[in-house]
């Protein structure tokens, strides 16, 4: 399989990046309009919000972080206004951030699909894992003639 740059991606999933057992806590897949196409959780000890509120907060967090990263980009002269929506691939992008309780890894495709993995904070770089998930999405969702774009998976 191939990803954006033409680099070959192995059909098998990448090897785990830490030895602490089950790393994944949650996965989100959003379309470009902020509709949550997929949400799964595995190790989430505390449930404080209903799923719709959780999805809105996660999409808002990503929107804000992308806007902030683009505004702080030292290589771009045209910064625009903070909070203005950007097209996929515009501005400075971020790949992950870490707190003392979790690590959030993020990838946005050229079509605006956003993949988010929330994992153990000691997990290393998950870009290859997100590319693998994207390839699964393309093979089994995007190419599926029965799938209606914009509907939950």
């Amino acid at each position: 399989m191939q990803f954006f740059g033409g680099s070959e991606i192995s059909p098998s999933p990448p090897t785990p990046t830490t030895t602490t057992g089950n790393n994944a806590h949650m996965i989100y897949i959003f379309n470009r309009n902020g509709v949550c196409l997929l949400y799964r959780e595995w190790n989430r000890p505390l449930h404080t919000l209903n799923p719709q509120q959780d999805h809105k907060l996660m999409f808002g967090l990503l929107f804000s972080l992308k806007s902030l990263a683009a505004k702080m980009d030292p290589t771009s002269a045209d910064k625009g206004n903070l909070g203005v929506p950007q097209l996929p691939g515009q501005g400075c992008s971020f790949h992950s951030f870490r707190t003392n309780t979790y690590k959030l890894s993020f990838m946005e495709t050229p079509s605006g699909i956003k993949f988010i993995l929330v994992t153990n904070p000691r997990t290393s770089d998950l870009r290859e894992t997100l590319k693998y998930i994207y390839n699964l999405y393309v093979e089994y969702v995007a190419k599926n003639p029965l799938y209606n774009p914009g509907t939950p998976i």
Side-chain angles (χ1 to χ4, degrees):
M1 289 184 217
Q2 292 201 351
F3 191 61
F4 309 137
S7 60
E8 189 66 26
I9 300 293
S10 169
S12 61
T15 58
T17 55
T18 180
T19 59
T20 59
N22 193 353
N23 294 328
H25 298 296
M26 294 171 278
I27 184 171
Y28 296 84
I29 300 177
F30 289 102
N31 69 6
R32 74 176 86 193
N33 300 322
V35 175
C36 187
L37 302 177
L38 176 75
Y39 171 74
R40 295 289 183 271
E41 61 183 52
W42 295 277
N43 295 327
R44 188 172 188 180
L46 184 61
H47 297 275
T48 57
L49 302 170
N50 70 40
Q52 289 76 25
Q53 290 175 326
D54 186 43
H55 300 161
K56 286 180 185 179
L57 285 174
M58 181 58 72
F59 189 80
L61 171 70
L62 294 171
F63 179 85
S64 299
L65 284 175
K66 276 186 61 181
S67 178
L68 178 67
K71 191 72 170 170
M72 294 176 53
D73 182 9
T75 62
S76 175
D78 180 30
K79 304 260 188 226
N81 292 327
L82 192 61
V84 174
Q86 296 176 334
L87 296 173
Q90 272 187 330
C92 183
S93 66
F94 71 96
H95 302 289
S96 66
F97 71 88
R98 183 185 325 257
T99 70
N100 60 348
T101 56
Y102 68 92
K103 178 180 179 181
L104 186 140
S105 300
F106 170 74
M107 183 184 84
E108 184 174 16
T109 66
S111 62
I113 304 293
K114 295 164 184 60
F115 294 87
I116 300 101
L117 271 176
V118 179
T119 60
N120 186 302
R122 293 181 294 242
T123 305
S124 62
D125 189 18
L126 292 174
R127 283 185 240 178
E128 290 301 316
T129 302
L130 289 169
K131 289 178 186 177
Y132 176 75
I133 293 170
Y134 170 69
N135 284 326
L136 291 175
Y137 172 83
V138 168
E139 288 297 319
Y140 296 106
V141 178
K143 290 183 179 179
N144 185 347
L146 300 177
Y147 177 67
N148 206 2
T151 58
I153 301 171

